[in-house]
Amino acid sequence: MQKSVISIGDRIELVQTKSALRRKKSDAHYTSQLLEYDGIRTIKILMPISEGRVVPLEVNDEYELCFFTAKGMYRCTATILRRYREKKIFVLQMQMTSKLTKFQRRQFYRLDCSLDIQYRVVSEEEMALQDLIKKNAFSDSATKDSFEKKLKEFRKNWSDARITDLSGGGMRFQCQQELEKNARIEVRLPLFDVNGNEIRSMAMIIAVISLPGGGREWEARCQFEAIDKKMQERIIKYIFDEQKRRIRKD
């Protein structure tokens, strides 16, 4: 069954599940491509690339692989047997340690990247105010105008950040502000839809960690909320176009 499911050229996402040297597991999502498959358990894949550099994953470490195939997404676990260079291409040879199974829950392909963005924290007060305006819950027009003016003031305070990975479902970014888990933010991405509209979305912070040194002190992960479908499709298109460009370049 496995040989009939995966094909040469299929995109792969790797997430570490076990370190042979008992180091702390990385939560990075690496991208690769299937180069060879013996039809049983051994595969050869491209060594992942992050921010334009080859990532030399450690031999004997175990990863969960997600294959993006013509028949849907399939996953398995695999161990790195060796890494080497073949005709100017950096290669990983891996042995599959579990069977391929259909990946049922919705997932988005994730791209390691470096994009400057802007975000702003959306407070509870702003959300309440926005709800009142939407419901037109005012006794007179002067009160409504006053609240709308206050809402515009909320939406002026933007901060700079940099994305380190992006998917159609969310992103990871570095910033100078310690954001709170479950906080809501609005983000502006340097991408545009077919009509030239800037990509914007609300998002929820799902994790925050402190970074050692550097100009950006915090790294946050967020999940897009109620994102417009066309904007989400534009993000996904950018991700796959960029991955194709990197593969051609290598």
Side-chain angles (χ1 to χ4, degrees):
M1 188 276 285
Q2 294 185 171
K3 193 168 185 179
S4 65
V5 169
I6 61 176
S7 304
I8 305 306
D10 283 346
R11 290 180 293 273
I12 305 170
E13 184 174 275
L14 301 87
V15 179
Q16 189 179 31
T17 55
K18 187 183 297 182
S19 169
L21 299 178
R22 297 186 178 181
R23 293 173 178 167
K24 182 180 178 181
K25 289 189 300 182
S26 169
D27 61 355
H29 289 243
Y30 298 114
T31 58
S32 183
Q33 185 178 34
L34 183 62
L35 298 176
E36 287 184 18
Y37 175 43
D38 70 353
I40 305 173
R41 291 199 299 167
T42 304
I43 60 174
K44 283 170 56 176
I45 69 173
L46 285 175
M47 204 172 293
I49 296 174
S50 177
E51 297 183 358
R53 296 184 178 182
V54 173
V55 182
L57 303 183
E58 293 291 338
V59 172
N60 295 325
D61 281 5
E62 183 183 78
Y63 284 79
E64 180 180 77
L65 310 185
C66 181
F67 294 83
F68 294 78
T69 79
K71 297 182 180 181
M73 292 189 297
Y74 286 78
R75 65 179 175 179
C76 70
T77 55
T79 301
I80 299 173
L81 299 179
R82 57 188 289 239
R83 62 188 191 198
Y84 58 98
R85 187 170 179 173
E86 183 178 273
K87 296 180 181 178
K88 298 183 179 180
I89 297 175
F90 291 93
V91 175
L92 290 176
Q93 184 179 38
M94 304 187 75
Q95 184 175 74
M96 299 163 76
T97 55
S98 70
K99 292 182 179 180
L100 277 173
T101 57
K102 189 74 180 283
F103 206 29
Q104 297 292 350
R105 75 183 172 89
R106 188 176 179 184
Q107 283 285 314
F108 292 100
Y109 183 76
R110 188 174 296 276
L111 177 76
D112 291 326
C113 60
S114 180
L115 287 174
D116 291 327
I117 63 163
Q118 287 190 312
Y119 75 93
R120 66 181 190 87
V121 177
V122 180
S123 66
E124 293 287 344
E125 183 181 359
E126 179 184 344
M127 288 190 285
L129 184 57
Q130 184 173 305
D131 189 50
L132 286 173
I133 293 173
K134 188 180 295 184
K135 292 178 180 178
N136 198 24
F138 304 101
S139 56
D140 57 75
S141 59
T143 303
K144 181 180 179 181
D145 291 343
S146 174
F147 276 57
E148 287 179 340
K149 183 178 179 180
K150 188 173 183 180
L151 186 61
K152 288 180 180 179
E153 291 298 318
F154 275 126
R155 294 174 174 174
K156 287 182 178 180
N157 301 316
W158 293 85
S159 300
D160 296 325
R162 176 165 292 176
I163 296 177
T164 55
D165 69 49
L166 175 67
S167 78
M171 63 183 187
R172 188 194 310 267
F173 64 96
Q174 295 177 357
C175 59
Q176 295 179 335
Q177 179 181 7
E178 182 180 6
L179 299 169
E180 294 183 5
K181 185 177 179 180
N182 297 325
R184 282 180 167 79
I185 62 172
E186 183 180 12
V187 296
R188 296 198 299 205
L189 306 178
L191 303 173
F192 301 87
D193 64 19
V194 292
N195 298 316
N197 298 317
E198 180 183 57
I199 303 297
R200 291 194 183 198
S201 177
M202 298 297 293
M204 176 182 283
I205 302 297
I206 57 177
V208 181
I209 61 171
S210 176
L211 296 175
R216 293 180 174 82
E217 298 179 358
W218 303 94
E219 181 177 80
R221 286 194 295 123
C222 69
Q223 185 173 351
F224 296 137
E225 289 191 327
I227 186 171
D228 180 85
K229 185 176 180 180
K230 289 184 178 179
M231 291 187 175
Q232 188 177 62
E233 289 174 351
R234 175 66 184 92
I235 293 172
I236 294 170
K237 184 178 185 302
Y238 165 78
I239 290 170
F240 282 110
D241 286 349
E242 178 64 15
Q243 181 63 11
K244 288 178 184 177
R245 184 191 68 79
R246 293 182 187 181
I247 291 172
R248 286 196 301 268
K249 184 178 178 182
D250 296 333

